[in-house]
Amino acid sequence: MRRAEQKDYEQVLLFLQNAKLNTTNVKECLNNFLLLVDEENRLKATIGLDFENNRGLIRSLVLLPTVTQKELIYLIEHMIQLANELKVEEVYLLTHKSTNAQLFHFFEFEEACLSEEIVPLLIKNGYELEGNVILFRKKVNNGYNLS
């Protein structure tokens, strides 16, 4: 796993487009993406973070079917650590799949209501706030450390 660089933009963009995910604002927050790559440097998974002030939006979680549960956990743990390093106090994520709830609860995310604080960040990233969407929130402990 590694942090994305601007040279990864085209590859990340295509990866997200193939997954039919929103690519609004990806270029602006690409440096806050984590990439899981294989031995030939091909993308296996992405996860990104966009933030304003002390609130962040975890976005663009895309996994190839070959990604293991251990790799997924590693990816999410490191995204939470990155948010902590960037002094983000709360992270949010939005999903249309209720099957993801168990995964996010494992990381101590709780379901949340849309609030004035997070809506502008969702809109900036091109998210539609209609239909069956579930918003999750997690307070990031500024002492979060994987070691």
Side-chain angles (χ1 to χ4, degrees):
M1 185 189 66
R2 65 180 175 81
R3 201 141 166 205
E5 301 172 25
Q6 287 304 313
K7 68 179 178 149
D8 298 310
Y9 175 69
E10 294 297 328
Q11 185 181 16
V12 170
L13 189 66
L14 185 60
F15 193 72
L16 299 179
Q17 288 170 338
N18 286 340
K20 303 206 181 332
L21 250 63
N22 180 344
T23 58
T24 303
N25 210 39
V26 168
K27 192 169 196 169
E28 293 77 9
C29 62
L30 186 65
N31 291 336
N32 296 325
F33 269 66
L34 298 177
L35 309 178
L36 186 62
V37 296
D38 65 16
E39 54 281 342
E40 295 174 9
N41 207 33
R42 291 181 302 221
L43 283 176
K44 290 175 59 178
T46 61
I47 189 169
L49 177 71
D50 191 7
F51 66 96
E52 288 181 1
N53 302 319
N54 59 353
R55 288 186 177 80
L57 176 65
I58 293 178
R59 55 165 300 156
S60 305
L61 177 59
V62 177
L63 313 168
L64 290 182
T66 57
V67 172
T68 66
Q69 183 177 12
K70 184 177 179 179
E71 289 172 317
L72 173 59
I73 290 169
Y74 183 78
L75 198 61
I76 294 173
E77 283 178 339
H78 280 79
M79 178 51 66
I80 294 168
Q81 183 176 13
L82 176 61
N84 181 55
E85 290 169 8
L86 295 170
K87 307 290 188 233
V88 173
E89 294 176 10
E90 282 185 321
V91 289
Y92 291 81
L93 56 89
L94 192 67
T95 184
H96 292 280
K97 299 177 184 175
S98 59
T99 54
N100 292 338
Q102 186 176 1
L103 171 67
F104 301 133
H105 287 296
F106 175 79
F107 289 99
E108 299 176 346
F109 279 85
E110 15 180 88
E111 289 189 39
C113 297
L114 290 174
S115 65
E116 291 177 11
E117 294 86 16
I118 193 60
V119 168
L121 195 53
L122 293 170
I123 292 170
K124 172 183 161 191
N125 283 282
Y127 284 93
E128 307 256 341
L129 303 178
E130 300 170 353
N132 282 340
V133 295
I134 305 168
L135 182 68
F136 288 92
R137 176 185 66 221
K138 176 180 178 54
K139 295 235 184 241
V140 177
N141 175 355
N142 282 337
Y144 191 88
N145 193 331
L146 293 176
S147 49

